[in-house]
């Protein structure tokens, strides 16, 4: 999918929209979901313009790995390093509504399996 830099997460990255930021480094930003589905619900996004996880080229595999590391770091910092779930929706039919790649970090309640 083509990347549209008018999406809400691109605007958060440009600081045009406020977000409750919990972690940032040179490659990613993490902030609280505005409509949390668990006591901890943070989104980890790359600073690079990638619309969907499956769109990332091979050259960005290290960045994808970094997002997973950052998601774990967020969970640890937030006191949920023992149990958390990461979710990445790819495509509208899978539930993706914002087309800037994001990793959901969910914790703090029982997380059923299989997911919906
Ligand atoms: P997805 O459905 O996987 O694309 O997830 C998008 C997530 O972004 C949803 O959980 C929304 O609640 C969240 N969201 C949308 N707008 C904002 C915003 N301005 N700040 C924080 N989270 C947002």
């Amino acid at each position: 999918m083509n990347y549209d830099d008018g999406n809400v997460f691109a605007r958060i990255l440009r600081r045009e929209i406020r977000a409750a930021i919990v972690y940032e480094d040179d490659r990613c930003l993490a902030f609280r979901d505005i409509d949390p589905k668990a006591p901890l619900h943070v989104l980890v996004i790359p600073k690079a313009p990638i619309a969907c996880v499956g769109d990332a080229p091979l050259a960005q595999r290290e960045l994808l790995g970094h997002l997973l590391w950052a998601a774990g770091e967020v969970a640890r910092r937030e006191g949920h390093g023992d149990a958390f779930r990461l979710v990445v929706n790819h495509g509208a039919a899978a539930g993706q509504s914002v087309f800037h790649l994001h990793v959901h970090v969910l914790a703090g309640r029982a997380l059923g399996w299989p997911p919906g």
Side-chain angles (χ1 to χ4, degrees), residues 8-9 12 17-20 31-37 41 43 87-90 94-100 102 104:
V8 65
F9 294 170
I12 286 172
I17 294 177
R18 291 174 73 91
F31 51 89
R32 296 191 195 284
D33 196 291
I34 203 167
D35 181 19
K37 307 298 188 296
H41 189 173
L43 303 169
V87 174
V88 182
N89 296 321
H90 175 110
Q96 187 174 5
S97 60
V98 178
F99 289 87
H100 181 113
H102 47 284
H104 295 260

PDB file of all heavy atoms in Angstrom, residues 8-9 12 17-20 31-37 41 43 87-90 94-100 102 104, ligand 1:
ATOM      1  N   VAL A   8      -2.758   9.765  10.987  1.00  0.00           N
ATOM      2  CA  VAL A   8      -2.680  10.329  12.340  1.00  0.00           C
ATOM      3  C   VAL A   8      -1.333  10.037  13.017  1.00  0.00           C
ATOM      4  O   VAL A   8      -0.811  10.884  13.758  1.00  0.00           O
ATOM      5  CB  VAL A   8      -3.880   9.861  13.195  1.00  0.00           C
ATOM      6  CG1 VAL A   8      -3.853   8.373  13.437  1.00  0.00           C
ATOM      7  CG2 VAL A   8      -3.965  10.607  14.505  1.00  0.00           C
ATOM      8  N   PHE A   9      -0.742   8.887  12.751  1.00  0.00           N
ATOM      9  CA  PHE A   9       0.529   8.589  13.417  1.00  0.00           C
ATOM     10  C   PHE A   9       1.676   9.404  12.807  1.00  0.00           C
ATOM     11  O   PHE A   9       2.598   9.808  13.533  1.00  0.00           O
ATOM     12  CB  PHE A   9       0.830   7.091  13.372  1.00  0.00           C
ATOM     13  CG  PHE A   9      -0.143   6.248  14.156  1.00  0.00           C
ATOM     14  CD1 PHE A   9      -0.136   4.872  14.054  1.00  0.00           C
ATOM     15  CD2 PHE A   9      -1.066   6.834  15.027  1.00  0.00           C
ATOM     16  CE1 PHE A   9      -1.034   4.091  14.773  1.00  0.00           C
ATOM     17  CE2 PHE A   9      -1.972   6.067  15.746  1.00  0.00           C
ATOM     18  CZ  PHE A   9      -1.951   4.687  15.608  1.00  0.00           C
ATOM     19  N   ILE A  12       1.431  12.562  14.576  1.00  0.00           N
ATOM     20  CA  ILE A  12       2.005  12.466  15.926  1.00  0.00           C
ATOM     21  C   ILE A  12       3.538  12.547  15.835  1.00  0.00           C
ATOM     22  O   ILE A  12       4.175  13.250  16.624  1.00  0.00           O
ATOM     23  CB  ILE A  12       1.535  11.169  16.618  1.00  0.00           C
ATOM     24  CG1 ILE A  12       0.065  11.322  17.028  1.00  0.00           C
ATOM     25  CG2 ILE A  12       2.409  10.840  17.826  1.00  0.00           C
ATOM     26  CD1 ILE A  12      -0.593  10.055  17.559  1.00  0.00           C
ATOM     27  N   ILE A  17      -0.014  16.517  16.386  1.00  0.00           N
ATOM     28  CA  ILE A  17      -1.052  16.025  17.288  1.00  0.00           C
ATOM     29  C   ILE A  17      -0.343  15.535  18.538  1.00  0.00           C
ATOM     30  O   ILE A  17       0.708  14.887  18.448  1.00  0.00           O
ATOM     31  CB  ILE A  17      -1.835  14.859  16.635  1.00  0.00           C
ATOM     32  CG1 ILE A  17      -2.621  15.349  15.413  1.00  0.00           C
ATOM     33  CG2 ILE A  17      -2.761  14.191  17.637  1.00  0.00           C
ATOM     34  CD1 ILE A  17      -3.354  14.234  14.680  1.00  0.00           C
ATOM     35  N   ARG A  18      -0.926  15.825  19.692  1.00  0.00           N
ATOM     36  CA  ARG A  18      -0.315  15.392  20.955  1.00  0.00           C
ATOM     37  C   ARG A  18      -0.583  13.908  21.195  1.00  0.00           C
ATOM     38  O   ARG A  18      -1.620  13.391  20.810  1.00  0.00           O
ATOM     39  CB  ARG A  18      -0.888  16.208  22.110  1.00  0.00           C
ATOM     40  CG  ARG A  18      -0.470  17.649  22.081  1.00  0.00           C
ATOM     41  CD  ARG A  18      -1.193  18.423  23.161  1.00  0.00           C
ATOM     42  NE  ARG A  18      -0.651  18.089  24.472  1.00  0.00           N
ATOM     43  CZ  ARG A  18       0.344  18.744  25.054  1.00  0.00           C
ATOM     44  NH1 ARG A  18       0.896  19.767  24.431  1.00  0.00           N
ATOM     45  NH2 ARG A  18       0.779  18.401  26.244  1.00  0.00           N
ATOM     46  N   ALA A  19       0.379  13.287  21.857  1.00  0.00           N
ATOM     47  CA  ALA A  19       0.199  11.891  22.270  1.00  0.00           C
ATOM     48  C   ALA A  19       0.918  11.726  23.594  1.00  0.00           C
ATOM     49  O   ALA A  19       1.829  12.496  23.926  1.00  0.00           O
ATOM     50  CB  ALA A  19       0.779  10.943  21.219  1.00  0.00           C
ATOM     51  N   ALA A  20       0.492  10.714  24.351  1.00  0.00           N
ATOM     52  CA  ALA A  20       1.132  10.413  25.637  1.00  0.00           C
ATOM     53  C   ALA A  20       2.311   9.476  25.356  1.00  0.00           C
ATOM     54  O   ALA A  20       2.169   8.246  25.343  1.00  0.00           O
ATOM     55  CB  ALA A  20       0.121   9.772  26.581  1.00  0.00           C
ATOM     56  N   PHE A  31       3.598   5.391  22.265  1.00  0.00           N
ATOM     57  CA  PHE A  31       2.652   6.274  22.966  1.00  0.00           C
ATOM     58  C   PHE A  31       1.400   5.482  23.314  1.00  0.00           C
ATOM     59  O   PHE A  31       1.106   4.444  22.711  1.00  0.00           O
ATOM     60  CB  PHE A  31       2.300   7.501  22.102  1.00  0.00           C
ATOM     61  CG  PHE A  31       1.864   7.166  20.704  1.00  0.00           C
ATOM     62  CD1 PHE A  31       0.541   6.916  20.406  1.00  0.00           C
ATOM     63  CD2 PHE A  31       2.801   7.059  19.672  1.00  0.00           C
ATOM     64  CE1 PHE A  31       0.140   6.584  19.120  1.00  0.00           C
ATOM     65  CE2 PHE A  31       2.415   6.719  18.375  1.00  0.00           C
ATOM     66  CZ  PHE A  31       1.092   6.492  18.096  1.00  0.00           C
ATOM     67  N   ARG A  32       0.650   5.998  24.296  1.00  0.00           N
ATOM     68  CA  ARG A  32      -0.543   5.287  24.757  1.00  0.00           C
ATOM     69  C   ARG A  32      -1.659   5.365  23.719  1.00  0.00           C
ATOM     70  O   ARG A  32      -1.884   6.424  23.112  1.00  0.00           O
ATOM     71  CB  ARG A  32      -1.025   5.868  26.094  1.00  0.00           C
ATOM     72  CG  ARG A  32      -0.015   5.677  27.203  1.00  0.00           C
ATOM     73  CD  ARG A  32      -0.556   5.986  28.579  1.00  0.00           C
ATOM     74  NE  ARG A  32       0.576   6.113  29.510  1.00  0.00           N
ATOM     75  CZ  ARG A  32       1.272   5.090  30.011  1.00  0.00           C
ATOM     76  NH1 ARG A  32       0.935   3.857  29.694  1.00  0.00           N
ATOM     77  NH2 ARG A  32       2.292   5.294  30.827  1.00  0.00           N
ATOM     78  N   ASP A  33      -2.343   4.219  23.539  1.00  0.00           N
ATOM     79  CA  ASP A  33      -3.490   4.184  22.631  1.00  0.00           C
ATOM     80  C   ASP A  33      -4.595   5.078  23.198  1.00  0.00           C
ATOM     81  O   ASP A  33      -4.882   5.058  24.398  1.00  0.00           O
ATOM     82  CB  ASP A  33      -3.989   2.746  22.461  1.00  0.00           C
ATOM     83  CG  ASP A  33      -4.900   2.591  21.259  1.00  0.00           C
ATOM     84  OD1 ASP A  33      -6.033   3.133  21.291  1.00  0.00           O
ATOM     85  OD2 ASP A  33      -4.497   1.934  20.288  1.00  0.00           O
ATOM     86  N   ILE A  34      -5.242   5.839  22.331  1.00  0.00           N
ATOM     87  CA  ILE A  34      -6.266   6.794  22.765  1.00  0.00           C
ATOM     88  C   ILE A  34      -7.541   6.076  23.230  1.00  0.00           C
ATOM     89  O   ILE A  34      -8.347   6.651  23.975  1.00  0.00           O
ATOM     90  CB  ILE A  34      -6.566   7.780  21.604  1.00  0.00           C
ATOM     91  CG1 ILE A  34      -7.141   9.079  22.128  1.00  0.00           C
ATOM     92  CG2 ILE A  34      -7.458   7.143  20.548  1.00  0.00           C
ATOM     93  CD1 ILE A  34      -7.166  10.185  21.092  1.00  0.00           C
ATOM     94  N   ASP A  35      -7.706   4.823  22.806  1.00  0.00           N
ATOM     95  CA  ASP A  35      -8.897   4.038  23.146  1.00  0.00           C
ATOM     96  C   ASP A  35      -8.422   2.673  23.653  1.00  0.00           C
ATOM     97  O   ASP A  35      -8.534   1.656  22.960  1.00  0.00           O
ATOM     98  CB  ASP A  35      -9.786   3.901  21.904  1.00  0.00           C
ATOM     99  CG  ASP A  35     -11.057   3.117  22.177  1.00  0.00           C
ATOM    100  OD1 ASP A  35     -11.442   2.975  23.361  1.00  0.00           O
ATOM    101  OD2 ASP A  35     -11.649   2.611  21.204  1.00  0.00           O
ATOM    102  N   PRO A  36      -7.863   2.649  24.871  1.00  0.00           N
ATOM    103  CA  PRO A  36      -7.151   1.442  25.330  1.00  0.00           C
ATOM    104  C   PRO A  36      -8.055   0.223  25.478  1.00  0.00           C
ATOM    105  O   PRO A  36      -9.170   0.314  25.974  1.00  0.00           O
ATOM    106  CB  PRO A  36      -6.562   1.871  26.677  1.00  0.00           C
ATOM    107  CG  PRO A  36      -7.349   3.065  27.108  1.00  0.00           C
ATOM    108  CD  PRO A  36      -7.819   3.735  25.849  1.00  0.00           C
ATOM    109  N   LYS A  37      -7.530  -0.920  25.053  1.00  0.00           N
ATOM    110  CA  LYS A  37      -8.245  -2.201  25.135  1.00  0.00           C
ATOM    111  C   LYS A  37      -7.727  -3.048  26.293  1.00  0.00           C
ATOM    112  O   LYS A  37      -8.156  -4.194  26.469  1.00  0.00           O
ATOM    113  CB  LYS A  37      -8.085  -2.980  23.829  1.00  0.00           C
ATOM    114  CG  LYS A  37      -8.473  -2.191  22.572  1.00  0.00           C
ATOM    115  CD  LYS A  37      -9.930  -1.778  22.572  1.00  0.00           C
ATOM    116  CE  LYS A  37     -10.378  -1.167  21.243  1.00  0.00           C
ATOM    117  NZ  LYS A  37      -9.717   0.094  20.890  1.00  0.00           N
ATOM    118  N   HIS A  41      -1.946  -0.282  27.106  1.00  0.00           N
ATOM    119  CA  HIS A  41      -2.138  -0.374  25.654  1.00  0.00           C
ATOM    120  C   HIS A  41      -1.319   0.750  25.027  1.00  0.00           C
ATOM    121  O   HIS A  41      -1.709   1.915  25.027  1.00  0.00           O
ATOM    122  CB  HIS A  41      -3.618  -0.244  25.278  1.00  0.00           C
ATOM    123  CG  HIS A  41      -3.884  -0.558  23.830  1.00  0.00           C
ATOM    124  ND1 HIS A  41      -5.163  -0.631  23.314  1.00  0.00           N
ATOM    125  CD2 HIS A  41      -3.044  -0.820  22.783  1.00  0.00           C
ATOM    126  CE1 HIS A  41      -5.095  -0.921  22.022  1.00  0.00           C
ATOM    127  NE2 HIS A  41      -3.812  -1.025  21.672  1.00  0.00           N
ATOM    128  N   LEU A  43       1.207   1.860  21.626  1.00  0.00           N
ATOM    129  CA  LEU A  43       1.512   1.613  20.214  1.00  0.00           C
ATOM    130  C   LEU A  43       2.970   1.984  19.968  1.00  0.00           C
ATOM    131  O   LEU A  43       3.398   3.078  20.359  1.00  0.00           O
ATOM    132  CB  LEU A  43       0.602   2.465  19.323  1.00  0.00           C
ATOM    133  CG  LEU A  43      -0.899   2.250  19.549  1.00  0.00           C
ATOM    134  CD1 LEU A  43      -1.700   3.324  18.808  1.00  0.00           C
ATOM    135  CD2 LEU A  43      -1.333   0.859  19.117  1.00  0.00           C
ATOM    136  N   VAL A  87       0.436  -7.207  19.090  1.00  0.00           N
ATOM    137  CA  VAL A  87      -0.482  -7.421  17.963  1.00  0.00           C
ATOM    138  C   VAL A  87      -0.084  -6.456  16.856  1.00  0.00           C
ATOM    139  O   VAL A  87       0.157  -5.265  17.107  1.00  0.00           O
ATOM    140  CB  VAL A  87      -1.950  -7.151  18.379  1.00  0.00           C
ATOM    141  CG1 VAL A  87      -2.881  -7.222  17.174  1.00  0.00           C
ATOM    142  CG2 VAL A  87      -2.396  -8.140  19.455  1.00  0.00           C
ATOM    143  N   VAL A  88      -0.029  -6.988  15.640  1.00  0.00           N
ATOM    144  CA  VAL A  88       0.189  -6.144  14.461  1.00  0.00           C
ATOM    145  C   VAL A  88      -0.875  -6.510  13.442  1.00  0.00           C
ATOM    146  O   VAL A  88      -0.902  -7.648  12.956  1.00  0.00           O
ATOM    147  CB  VAL A  88       1.584  -6.358  13.838  1.00  0.00           C
ATOM    148  CG1 VAL A  88       1.778  -5.424  12.639  1.00  0.00           C
ATOM    149  CG2 VAL A  88       2.694  -6.124  14.868  1.00  0.00           C
ATOM    150  N   ASN A  89      -1.763  -5.601  13.152  1.00  0.00           N
ATOM    151  CA  ASN A  89      -2.793  -5.830  12.146  1.00  0.00           C
ATOM    152  C   ASN A  89      -2.267  -5.365  10.790  1.00  0.00           C
ATOM    153  O   ASN A  89      -1.769  -4.238  10.665  1.00  0.00           O
ATOM    154  CB  ASN A  89      -4.066  -5.053  12.499  1.00  0.00           C
ATOM    155  CG  ASN A  89      -4.689  -5.533  13.801  1.00  0.00           C
ATOM    156  OD1 ASN A  89      -4.716  -6.732  14.075  1.00  0.00           O
ATOM    157  ND2 ASN A  89      -5.193  -4.608  14.612  1.00  0.00           N
ATOM    158  N   HIS A  90      -2.388  -6.228   9.796  1.00  0.00           N
ATOM    159  CA  HIS A  90      -1.985  -5.860   8.427  1.00  0.00           C
ATOM    160  C   HIS A  90      -3.225  -5.879   7.545  1.00  0.00           C
ATOM    161  O   HIS A  90      -3.794  -6.948   7.283  1.00  0.00           O
ATOM    162  CB  HIS A  90      -0.930  -6.826   7.869  1.00  0.00           C
ATOM    163  CG  HIS A  90      -0.593  -6.556   6.425  1.00  0.00           C
ATOM    164  ND1 HIS A  90       0.609  -6.041   6.005  1.00  0.00           N
ATOM    165  CD2 HIS A  90      -1.340  -6.700   5.308  1.00  0.00           C
ATOM    166  CE1 HIS A  90       0.593  -5.881   4.690  1.00  0.00           C
ATOM    167  NE2 HIS A  90      -0.586  -6.278   4.245  1.00  0.00           N
ATOM    168  N   ALA A  94      -8.022  -7.193   8.410  1.00  0.00           N
ATOM    169  CA  ALA A  94      -7.439  -7.747   9.644  1.00  0.00           C
ATOM    170  C   ALA A  94      -7.583  -6.777  10.808  1.00  0.00           C
ATOM    171  O   ALA A  94      -7.067  -7.033  11.899  1.00  0.00           O
ATOM    172  CB  ALA A  94      -5.972  -8.089   9.420  1.00  0.00           C
ATOM    173  N   GLY A  95      -8.250  -5.654  10.569  1.00  0.00           N
ATOM    174  CA  GLY A  95      -8.498  -4.717  11.657  1.00  0.00           C
ATOM    175  C   GLY A  95      -7.618  -3.481  11.653  1.00  0.00           C
ATOM    176  O   GLY A  95      -7.724  -2.658  12.559  1.00  0.00           O
ATOM    177  N   GLN A  96      -6.757  -3.342  10.644  1.00  0.00           N
ATOM    178  CA  GLN A  96      -5.900  -2.151  10.617  1.00  0.00           C
ATOM    179  C   GLN A  96      -6.730  -0.932  10.207  1.00  0.00           C
ATOM    180  O   GLN A  96      -7.439  -0.957   9.200  1.00  0.00           O
ATOM    181  CB  GLN A  96      -4.734  -2.336   9.637  1.00  0.00           C
ATOM    182  CG  GLN A  96      -3.727  -1.184   9.708  1.00  0.00           C
ATOM    183  CD  GLN A  96      -2.490  -1.414   8.854  1.00  0.00           C
ATOM    184  OE1 GLN A  96      -2.386  -2.401   8.118  1.00  0.00           O
ATOM    185  NE2 GLN A  96      -1.540  -0.489   8.945  1.00  0.00           N
ATOM    186  N   SER A  97      -6.629   0.126  11.018  1.00  0.00           N
ATOM    187  CA  SER A  97      -7.390   1.343  10.725  1.00  0.00           C
ATOM    188  C   SER A  97      -6.489   2.546  10.505  1.00  0.00           C
ATOM    189  O   SER A  97      -6.926   3.562   9.951  1.00  0.00           O
ATOM    190  CB  SER A  97      -8.381   1.642  11.859  1.00  0.00           C
ATOM    191  OG  SER A  97      -7.706   1.822  13.084  1.00  0.00           O
ATOM    192  N   VAL A  98      -5.247   2.457  10.945  1.00  0.00           N
ATOM    193  CA  VAL A  98      -4.283   3.540  10.713  1.00  0.00           C
ATOM    194  C   VAL A  98      -3.139   2.946   9.893  1.00  0.00           C
ATOM    195  O   VAL A  98      -2.520   1.951  10.303  1.00  0.00           O
ATOM    196  CB  VAL A  98      -3.745   4.124  12.036  1.00  0.00           C
ATOM    197  CG1 VAL A  98      -2.713   5.220  11.750  1.00  0.00           C
ATOM    198  CG2 VAL A  98      -4.889   4.676  12.891  1.00  0.00           C
ATOM    199  N   PHE A  99      -2.862   3.566   8.758  1.00  0.00           N
ATOM    200  CA  PHE A  99      -1.934   2.954   7.819  1.00  0.00           C
ATOM    201  C   PHE A  99      -0.521   3.527   7.940  1.00  0.00           C
ATOM    202  O   PHE A  99       0.081   3.982   6.967  1.00  0.00           O
ATOM    203  CB  PHE A  99      -2.531   2.970   6.405  1.00  0.00           C
ATOM    204  CG  PHE A  99      -3.669   1.989   6.334  1.00  0.00           C
ATOM    205  CD1 PHE A  99      -4.962   2.386   6.708  1.00  0.00           C
ATOM    206  CD2 PHE A  99      -3.445   0.663   6.022  1.00  0.00           C
ATOM    207  CE1 PHE A  99      -6.005   1.471   6.719  1.00  0.00           C
ATOM    208  CE2 PHE A  99      -4.490  -0.259   6.027  1.00  0.00           C
ATOM    209  CZ  PHE A  99      -5.771   0.146   6.379  1.00  0.00           C
ATOM    210  N   HIS A 100      -0.062   3.475   9.178  1.00  0.00           N
ATOM    211  CA  HIS A 100       1.355   3.633   9.514  1.00  0.00           C
ATOM    212  C   HIS A 100       1.627   2.458  10.462  1.00  0.00           C
ATOM    213  O   HIS A 100       0.961   2.340  11.502  1.00  0.00           O
ATOM    214  CB  HIS A 100       1.614   4.984  10.204  1.00  0.00           C
ATOM    215  CG  HIS A 100       3.058   5.209  10.561  1.00  0.00           C
ATOM    216  ND1 HIS A 100       3.827   6.181   9.951  1.00  0.00           N
ATOM    217  CD2 HIS A 100       3.863   4.582  11.445  1.00  0.00           C
ATOM    218  CE1 HIS A 100       5.055   6.140  10.466  1.00  0.00           C
ATOM    219  NE2 HIS A 100       5.099   5.175  11.373  1.00  0.00           N
ATOM    220  N   HIS A 102       2.223  -0.175  13.146  1.00  0.00           N
ATOM    221  CA  HIS A 102       2.261  -0.043  14.595  1.00  0.00           C
ATOM    222  C   HIS A 102       2.146  -1.405  15.246  1.00  0.00           C
ATOM    223  O   HIS A 102       1.426  -2.288  14.769  1.00  0.00           O
ATOM    224  CB  HIS A 102       1.157   0.894  15.111  1.00  0.00           C
ATOM    225  CG  HIS A 102      -0.200   0.630  14.548  1.00  0.00           C
ATOM    226  ND1 HIS A 102      -0.569   1.000  13.272  1.00  0.00           N
ATOM    227  CD2 HIS A 102      -1.284   0.015  15.079  1.00  0.00           C
ATOM    228  CE1 HIS A 102      -1.821   0.632  13.049  1.00  0.00           C
ATOM    229  NE2 HIS A 102      -2.277   0.025  14.135  1.00  0.00           N
ATOM    230  N   HIS A 104       0.876  -3.082  18.644  1.00  0.00           N
ATOM    231  CA  HIS A 104       0.107  -2.887  19.873  1.00  0.00           C
ATOM    232  C   HIS A 104       0.803  -3.660  20.998  1.00  0.00           C
ATOM    233  O   HIS A 104       1.123  -4.851  20.834  1.00  0.00           O
ATOM    234  CB  HIS A 104      -1.308  -3.475  19.737  1.00  0.00           C
ATOM    235  CG  HIS A 104      -2.181  -2.806  18.724  1.00  0.00           C
ATOM    236  ND1 HIS A 104      -3.144  -1.882  19.069  1.00  0.00           N
ATOM    237  CD2 HIS A 104      -2.278  -2.948  17.373  1.00  0.00           C
ATOM    238  CE1 HIS A 104      -3.802  -1.494  17.981  1.00  0.00           C
ATOM    239  NE2 HIS A 104      -3.286  -2.125  16.939  1.00  0.00           N
TER     240      HIS A 104
HETATM  241  P1  LIG B   1      -5.304  -0.581  14.218  1.00  0.00           P
HETATM  242  O1  LIG B   1      -6.790  -0.790  14.258  1.00  0.00           O
HETATM  243  O2  LIG B   1      -4.485  -1.837  14.411  1.00  0.00           O
HETATM  244  O3  LIG B   1      -4.889   0.186  12.976  1.00  0.00           O
HETATM  245  O4  LIG B   1      -4.951   0.317  15.475  1.00  0.00           O
HETATM  246  C1  LIG B   1      -5.034   1.694  15.451  1.00  0.00           C
HETATM  247  C2  LIG B   1      -5.063   2.154  16.876  1.00  0.00           C
HETATM  248  O5  LIG B   1      -4.757   3.536  16.913  1.00  0.00           O
HETATM  249  C3  LIG B   1      -6.416   1.997  17.587  1.00  0.00           C
HETATM  250  O6  LIG B   1      -6.263   1.150  18.712  1.00  0.00           O
HETATM  251  C4  LIG B   1      -6.797   3.424  17.957  1.00  0.00           C
HETATM  252  O7  LIG B   1      -7.447   3.491  19.208  1.00  0.00           O
HETATM  253  C5  LIG B   1      -5.448   4.116  17.965  1.00  0.00           C
HETATM  254  N1  LIG B   1      -5.456   5.557  17.730  1.00  0.00           N
HETATM  255  C6  LIG B   1      -6.106   6.223  16.762  1.00  0.00           C
HETATM  256  N2  LIG B   1      -5.865   7.549  16.848  1.00  0.00           N
HETATM  257  C7  LIG B   1      -5.015   7.717  17.899  1.00  0.00           C
HETATM  258  C8  LIG B   1      -4.379   8.833  18.509  1.00  0.00           C
HETATM  259  N3  LIG B   1      -4.569  10.087  18.042  1.00  0.00           N
HETATM  260  N4  LIG B   1      -3.576   8.624  19.566  1.00  0.00           N
HETATM  261  C9  LIG B   1      -3.384   7.370  20.054  1.00  0.00           C
HETATM  262  N5  LIG B   1      -3.952   6.272  19.525  1.00  0.00           N
HETATM  263  C10 LIG B   1      -4.752   6.436  18.459  1.00  0.00           C
END
